[in-house]
């Protein structure tokens, strides 16, 4: 949802809401904008909801000297010239919602590029505070900035901060309050353009001024009209009901001004001249306030890049890093997993006694304990440890700035597949959760390539499937427990991931040559400076945002699913349970794919969340086999082997886990993102068919060769 | 093509060039301009990706990777 005056209930006064002053937070991506936001608001923001194509923003509040402030976190953007949805949203907020103050967060290590945005915002409003963040990074890179000179040149307050350490935030709040109270309105810097642009603006501006409200900068609107920015016209319609292009006098003036500009500038376009002037101004300012040999400052980054993205080592290092990640996860998760299982099954015994002591009927005891509780216990003990280890490690790489390097390394393959290099970033998100990965596909501008990324995101195993893979790899393919075993399991998991990437590329290629024909679009990927990750923040973020979120979702789904399974196991028709009937029906199909009917059933019942596939399977087997205490992996292995599992079964289950229909949440998200039943159906069918074909081929080949 | 100008993707790793011509139009041009690739901007070639494309460039204090498809449309004059 757009935050509009209506929706926030504004009294209409500039920048004021009944419950506080509106402060907008703008900035390039990767400047620590969200850290500033979280530090100021104490993490009390509503997380942005993503409806449709609208990019929503987080809002939070803080109090300073008895006044309430509402902080609005605008999407990160490099520019306000509206070449992407994020930029349009940010521009519209600053332009039409009239925040009392706009704080622009800039990266101290990359001032020139960041000033571009500052200068553009200054053209719209003078109520700006510049927050030069990441001063510690700059210091480490031996970049020295003269902030008071910057403030003098820009004519607005400039505050230096290290938001991660909480440094400078008090001064930032002070500057915001002073600008909001109107005490600090000096002459802010306005860019002077080359003569042809200035003449064209002079010709246009009087006509524009008559048509727009006084609180909108007519010079800025004139520049946009010269620039031919059609998105502004759309926004003017939406926010102000003004139809500039329907005004014939103005349209004539625009044509006249454009013609003048073209003649005076020797054929250059307005947009070139405007952008060039802004950048030249930024360059000039940056040079005046920065003291550093920039090349020297970035040496460490360059060295790291030379290793991490080098011709010989780039891809091997990437695989090795991923391998180490998995290895630590597999070895580290084993012990806590057993401990948790023991604890949770001990509780099961007690719970059982209590329920029986109350005189509850056996069916109720069965449904609650063997149904709901046991499934929950399994989900928690199997999933929690690997997630609690994997996510912080992955967040570490993310914070370090490594993921864009992965996209850089792999872009060539994606280009060949007719897809976008940024698809890699959406796949990385998919490691956490495919639904999040699908939403992340918005970073791809071309609709065709975005659709490809959405349709193939499921080929990255999310963490709901990740524990299944880890458990099976450890049991069946790792061999004996211990160092060599976990190493083998790591290699298997790594193989599964590489396979997932290869399937993604093949399917992307097929899509871009059939139903989504086309060539790859522009690719410009920023490789941000490496940052020293903050361990405390990583632990908190990965645990709260990811581990707890995913686990709670799994638990919510697992509880009712446990009940359904218990019912299916215990509702008998004749001698057989409903589950047995279903499994028998699916048995031939399962066998074709190297699995059995119960496994197929588990995948079907796991539709709400992939996390519960293994627990469902255990419940189904336990209902037919001997009941036992599933304390550790050895016993799970025994149970599976008793039910006819071989290494081939494990391989096929892993393959099918990688390649099958997305979970319910992901499909709903795909539907919301594509707004099309057709594409949602395609997203369901592609991985399912891929899985069926791959499992069939693997199972039949192995049997034919007498390997299993 | 003017004298002495070479497409950006041909500029060897480790060398620099000054933007002289951008032969792209429309939205892609806008994107390039927003990255700071304006007339007479100095660009340094940092390194190629493992498969040789895309290439990382140092543009106005930031590192940006471009595919040769786009970089070939940007003509630069080599800087010593």
């Amino acid at each position: 949802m757009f935050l509009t005056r209506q929706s926030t209930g504004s009294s209409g006064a500039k920048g004021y809401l009944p419950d506080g002053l509106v402060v907008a937070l703008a900035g390039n991506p990767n400047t620590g904008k969200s850290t500033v936001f979280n530090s100021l608001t104490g993490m009390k923001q509503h997380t942005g909801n993503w409806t449709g194509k609208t990019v929503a923003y987080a809002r939070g509040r803080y109090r300073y000297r008895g006044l309430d402030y509402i902080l609005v976190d605008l999407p990160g953007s490099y520019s306000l010239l509206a070449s992407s949805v994020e930029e349009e949203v940010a521009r519209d907020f600053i332009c039409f919602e009239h925040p009392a103050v706009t704080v622009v967060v800039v990266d101290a290590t990359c001032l020139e590029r960041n000033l571009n945005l500052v200068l553009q915002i200054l053209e719209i409003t003078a109520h700006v505070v510049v927050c030069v963040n990441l001063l510690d990074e700059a210091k480490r890179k031996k970049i020295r900035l003269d902030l008071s000179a910057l403030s003098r040149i820009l004519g607005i307050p400039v505050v230096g901060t290290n938001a991660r350490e909480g440094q400078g935030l008090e001064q930032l709040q002070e500057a915001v309050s002073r600008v909001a109270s109107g005490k600090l309105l000096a002459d802010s810097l306005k860019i002077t353009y080359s003569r042809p642009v200035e003449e064209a603006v002079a010709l246009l501006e009087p006509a524009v001024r008559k048509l727009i409200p006084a609180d909108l900068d007519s010079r800025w609107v004139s520049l946009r009209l010269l620039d031919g920015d059609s998105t502004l016209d759309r926004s003017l319609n939406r926010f102000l009901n003004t139809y500039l292009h329907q005004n014939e006098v103005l349209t004539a003036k625009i044509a006249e001004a454009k013609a003048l500009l073209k003649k005076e500038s020797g054929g250059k376009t307005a947009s070139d001249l405007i952008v060039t002037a802004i950048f030249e101004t930024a360059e000039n300012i940056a040079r005046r306030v920065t003291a550093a040999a920039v090349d020297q400052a970035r040496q460490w980054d360059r060295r790291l890049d030379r290793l991490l993205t080098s011709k010989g080592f780039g891809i091997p290092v990437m695989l090795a890093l991923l391998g180490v990640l998995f290895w630590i996860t597999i070895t580290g998760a084993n012990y806590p997993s057993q401990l948790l299982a023991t604890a949770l099954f001990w509780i099961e015994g007690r719970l059982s006694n209590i329920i029986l002591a109350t005189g509850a009927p056996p069916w109720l005891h069965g449904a609650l304990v063997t149904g709901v509780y046991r499934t929950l216990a399994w989900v928690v003990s199997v999933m929690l440890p690997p997630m609690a280890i994997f996510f912080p490690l992955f967040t570490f790489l993310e914070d370090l700035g490594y993921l864009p390097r992965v996209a850089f390394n792999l872009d060539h393959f994606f280009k060949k597949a007719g897809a976008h290099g940024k698809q890699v970033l959406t796949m990385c998100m998919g490691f956490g959760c495919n639904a999040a990965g699908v939403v992340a596909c918005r970073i791809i501008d071309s609709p065709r390539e975005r659709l490809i990324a959405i349709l193939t995101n499921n080929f990255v195993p999310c963490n709901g499937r990740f524990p299944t893979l880890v458990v099976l790899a450890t049991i069946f393919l790792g061999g004996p427990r211990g160092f060599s075993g976990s190493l083998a399991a790591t290699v298997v998991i790594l193989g599964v991931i590489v396979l997932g990437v290869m399937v993604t590329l093949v399917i992307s290629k097929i899509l871009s040559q059939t139903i989504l024909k086309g060539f790859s679009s522009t690719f410009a990927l920023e490789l941000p400076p490496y940052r020293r990750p903050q361990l405390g923040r990583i632990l908190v973020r990965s645990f709260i945002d990811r581990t707890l979120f995913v686990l709670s979702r799994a638990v919510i789904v697992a509880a009712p699913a446990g009940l359904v399974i218990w019912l299916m196991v215990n509702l008998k028709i004749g001698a057989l349970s409903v589950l047995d009937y279903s499994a028998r029906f699916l048995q031939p199909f399962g066998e074709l794919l190297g699995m059995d009917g119960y496994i197929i059933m588990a995948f079907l019942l796991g539709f709400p969340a992939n996390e519960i596939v293994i627990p469902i399977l255990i419940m189904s087997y336990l209902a037919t086999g001997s009941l036992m205490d599933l304390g550790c992996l050895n016993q799970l292995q025994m149970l599976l082997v008793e039910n006819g599992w071989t290494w081939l079964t494990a391989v096929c289950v892993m393959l099918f886990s990688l390649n099958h229909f997305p979970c319910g949440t992901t499909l709903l998200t795909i539907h919301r993102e594509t707004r099309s039943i057709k594409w949602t159906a395609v997203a369901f069918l592609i991985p399912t068919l891929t899985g069926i074909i791959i499992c069939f081929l693997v199972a039949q080949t192995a049997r034919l060769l007498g390997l299993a | 093509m003017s004298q002495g100008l070479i497409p950006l993707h041909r500029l060897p790793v480790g060398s620099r060039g000054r933007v002289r011509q951008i032969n792209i139009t429309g939205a892609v041009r806008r994107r390039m301009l927003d990255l700071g690739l304006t007339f007479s901007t100095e660009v340094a070639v940092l390194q190629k990706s493992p498969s040789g494309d895309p290439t990382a460039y140092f543009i106005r204090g930031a590192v940006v990777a471009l595919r040769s498809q786009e970089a070939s449309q940007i003509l630069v004059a080599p800087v010593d």
Side-chain angles (χ1 to χ4, degrees):
Chain A
M1 271 217 6
F2 275 97
L3 185 69
T4 63
R5 289 231 185 110
Q6 286 76 25
S7 73
T8 48
S10 160
S11 57
K14 208 171 179 178
Y16 291 85
L17 293 181
D19 46 349
L21 277 157
V22 178
V23 176
L25 197 60
N28 288 11
N30 268 309
T31 51
K33 196 163 66 73
S34 355
T35 320
V36 172
F37 181 85
N38 288 334
S39 315
L40 282 177
T41 60
M43 294 256 226
K44 274 179 259 165
Q45 90 272 32
H46 313 272
T47 325
N49 62 332
W50 303 71
T51 28
K53 254 190 83 180
T54 318
V55 186
Y57 19 69
R59 271 196 301 163
R61 37 175 61 259
Y62 70 88
R63 253 183 109 76
Y64 183 73
R65 299 209 172 165
L67 275 178
D68 282 315
Y69 294 85
I70 299 169
L71 197 59
V72 178
D73 193 13
L74 300 177
S77 60
Y78 293 114
S79 147
L80 287 185
L81 300 175
S83 51
S84 74
V85 185
E86 284 79 11
E87 290 170 11
E88 200 179 326
V89 168
R91 179 202 66 196
D92 283 352
F93 192 87
I94 298 170
C95 226
F96 300 108
E97 301 296 342
H98 303 294
V101 182
T102 300
V103 174
V104 191
V105 183
V106 305
D107 178 349
T109 67
C110 186
L111 191 64
E112 182 180 335
R113 155 73 89 78
N114 283 250
L115 277 176
N116 176 42
L117 181 69
V118 176
L119 293 172
Q120 289 186 28
I121 291 176
L122 276 178
E123 288 198 303
I124 303 176
T125 169
H127 302 257
V128 175
V129 173
V130 171
C131 164
V132 180
N133 194 28
L134 301 168
L135 279 180
D136 48 349
E137 296 280 337
K139 200 174 159 196
R140 202 170 298 137
K141 292 183 173 169
K142 301 194 170 55
I143 301 172
R144 272 180 304 141
L145 297 175
D146 185 346
L147 297 186
S148 54
L150 182 60
S151 171
R152 243 183 352 260
I153 296 169
L154 294 175
I156 48 167
V158 172
V159 182
T161 60
N162 279 321
R164 298 195 294 191
E165 318 288 344
Q167 289 164 358
L169 295 174
E170 170 89 23
Q171 289 89 321
L172 179 63
Q173 287 173 317
E174 176 62 26
V176 168
S177 84
R178 291 179 59 141
V179 170
S181 63
K183 282 184 200 145
L184 259 183
L185 267 194
D187 269 344
S188 68
L189 179 82
K190 293 273 186 248
I191 296 160
T192 316
Y193 294 95
S194 54
R195 204 176 42 87
V197 177
E198 291 293 346
E199 280 177 7
V201 169
L203 184 70
L204 196 54
E205 202 180 338
V208 172
R209 199 176 299 136
K210 279 185 222 150
L211 293 167
I212 60 167
D215 55 11
L216 212 55
D217 190 297
S218 55
R219 175 182 165 86
W220 180 77
V221 175
S222 309
L223 281 164
R224 298 288 78 75
L225 290 171
L226 277 177
D227 192 359
D229 183 347
S230 58
T231 65
L232 180 68
D233 219 26
R234 216 161 56 210
S235 299
L236 282 167
N237 288 349
R238 195 170 65 228
F239 288 91
L240 306 168
N241 263 322
T242 304
Y243 295 87
L244 287 186
H245 273 103
Q246 284 179 6
N247 185 302
E248 279 167 28
V249 182
L250 183 68
T251 327
K253 273 280 178 219
I254 295 173
E256 196 186 327
K258 276 186 174 167
L260 173 76
L261 186 136
K262 195 159 193 170
K263 199 180 92 205
E264 298 275 318
S265 69
K268 287 195 173 124
T269 64
S271 84
D272 274 31
L273 293 169
I274 291 170
V275 177
T276 306
I278 299 174
F279 268 110
E280 274 169 3
T281 313
E283 185 183 342
N284 187 7
I285 297 173
R287 197 176 298 146
R288 280 161 69 189
V289 303
T290 318
V294 172
D295 289 346
Q296 190 195 340
R298 293 177 178 270
Q299 247 178 26
W300 174 239
D301 276 12
R302 294 292 73 76
R303 257 184 235 149
L304 213 49
D305 266 345
R306 270 201 291 275
L307 171 71
L308 294 177
T309 65
S310 76
K311 200 180 175 72
F313 292 109
I315 290 175
V317 166
M318 188 181 78
L319 288 174
L321 271 176
L322 205 58
V324 169
L325 229 66
F326 291 137
W327 184 75
I328 298 177
T329 307
I330 290 169
T331 9
N334 219 344
Y335 184 67
S337 237
Q338 288 182 26
L339 214 63
L340 261 177
T342 315
L344 290 171
F345 285 105
W346 180 83
I347 294 175
E348 184 187 309
R350 301 295 91 77
L351 197 67
S352 204
N353 291 343
I354 294 169
I355 292 182
L356 289 176
T358 60
W363 64 264
L364 186 65
H365 168 260
L368 288 180
V369 177
T370 23
V372 175
Y373 181 83
R374 185 170 290 176
T375 315
L376 281 180
W378 258 100
V379 168
V380 172
S381 63
V382 169
M383 286 186 58
L384 182 60
M387 284 192 323
I389 298 171
F390 182 77
F391 282 152
L393 293 174
F394 196 76
T395 313
F396 179 87
L397 287 185
E398 204 180 339
D399 273 21
L400 184 70
Y402 181 61
L403 300 189
R405 270 75 188 181
V406 177
F408 180 63
N409 281 342
L410 296 179
D411 175 64
H412 183 66
F413 303 106
F414 282 84
K415 187 190 175 190
K416 274 192 168 167
H420 201 283
K422 281 187 188 166
Q423 187 168 333
V424 175
L425 296 177
T426 69
M427 288 163 69
C428 288
M429 289 295 289
F431 265 123
C433 167
N434 291 126
V438 167
V439 172
C441 293
R442 292 175 188 187
I443 57 169
I444 300 169
D445 289 325
S446 137
R448 185 188 75 86
E449 289 162 6
R450 183 164 55 229
L451 207 46
I452 290 179
I454 289 176
L455 295 178
T456 55
N457 194 272
N458 199 51
F459 291 119
V460 180
C462 66
N463 67 81
R465 291 178 280 166
F466 189 62
T468 308
L469 298 175
V470 170
V471 167
L472 293 183
T474 312
I475 292 182
F476 282 95
L477 306 157
R481 308 283 181 276
F483 181 78
S484 64
S486 51
L487 209 60
T490 303
V491 172
V492 171
I493 299 282
L494 209 53
V496 171
I497 305 292
V498 171
L499 179 73
V501 174
M502 286 186 341
V503 172
T504 302
L505 288 169
V506 170
I507 299 288
S508 299
K509 175 95 190 171
I510 293 174
L511 283 173
S512 57
Q513 289 191 337
T514 53
I515 46 175
L516 287 168
K517 260 201 184 93
F519 297 99
S520 50
S521 70
T522 9
F523 172 79
L525 174 80
E526 170 145 24
L527 302 175
Y530 289 102
R531 300 258 154 79
R532 180 182 293 178
Q534 283 195 303
L535 294 179
R537 221 167 54 91
I538 286 178
L539 287 177
V540 170
R541 231 181 64 209
S542 60
F543 197 73
I544 295 175
D545 288 2
R546 297 193 156 154
T547 311
L548 283 190
F549 169 76
V550 174
L551 191 70
S552 60
R553 197 175 74 96
V555 164
I556 290 166
V557 177
L563 191 63
V564 171
I565 304 293
W566 185 84
L567 286 174
M568 289 186 75
V569 170
N570 287 284
L571 282 180
K572 304 262 190 229
I573 305 171
L576 290 173
S577 69
V578 176
L579 185 77
D580 291 328
Y581 271 113
S582 325
R584 281 191 183 193
F585 174 74
L586 292 169
Q587 183 67 23
F589 178 64
E591 266 172 21
L592 271 182
L593 306 186
M595 297 179 275
D596 67 26
Y598 288 102
I599 302 173
I600 302 291
M601 200 62 210
F603 274 115
L604 290 175
L605 290 169
F607 175 69
N610 284 302
E611 291 86 343
I612 57 177
V613 169
I614 288 280
I616 291 174
L617 208 51
I618 293 166
M619 288 219 10
S620 346
Y621 285 151
L622 280 181
T624 49
S626 56
L627 204 68
M628 57 176 179
D629 180 29
L630 282 169
C632 66
L633 291 179
N634 288 328
Q635 279 160 321
L636 178 58
Q637 178 171 21
M638 272 162 58
L639 176 75
L640 294 178
V641 170
E642 252 175 44
N643 282 277
W645 279 50
T646 62
W647 69 268
L648 181 63
T649 325
V651 166
C652 288
V653 172
M654 289 173 78
L655 287 173
F656 202 68
S657 174
L658 181 71
N659 308 291
H660 75 291
F661 43 84
C663 73
T665 314
T666 304
L667 279 177
L668 277 178
T669 310
I670 292 174
H671 182 244
R672 214 176 55 208
E673 292 295 308
T674 60
R675 301 185 171 196
S676 142
I677 299 273
K678 187 186 96 182
W679 288 118
T680 313
V682 173
F684 181 93
L685 287 175
I686 289 176
T688 312
L689 292 177
T690 310
I692 291 175
I693 293 169
I694 291 181
C695 287
F696 177 79
L697 289 179
V698 168
Q700 300 311 320
T701 313
R703 281 176 193 153
L704 216 65
L705 296 176
L707 294 174
Chain B
M1 201 196 277
S2 320
Q3 282 242 303
L5 296 189
I6 57 169
L8 183 55
H9 74 296
R10 294 258 178 78
L11 202 61
V13 171
S15 63
R16 296 155 190 265
R18 213 168 264 287
V19 175
R20 287 298 168 210
Q21 235 174 291
I22 305 173
N23 297 328
I24 321 170
T25 52
V28 182
R29 183 187 188 90
R30 187 12 90 52
R31 194 120 282 241
M32 296 295 125
L33 291 175
D34 278 352
L35 289 172
L37 277 171
T38 54
F39 184 76
S40 93
T41 301
E42 196 179 282
V43 179
V45 188
L46 295 181
Q47 81 179 103
K48 306 236 169 228
S49 78
S51 21
D53 186 37
T55 303
Y57 300 97
F58 191 71
I59 305 165
R60 294 186 181 274
V63 181
V64 179
L66 297 176
R67 284 175 174 169
S68 57
Q69 193 178 321
E70 282 81 37
S72 63
Q73 305 298 310
I74 297 166
L75 301 185
V76 296
V79 177
D80 305 314

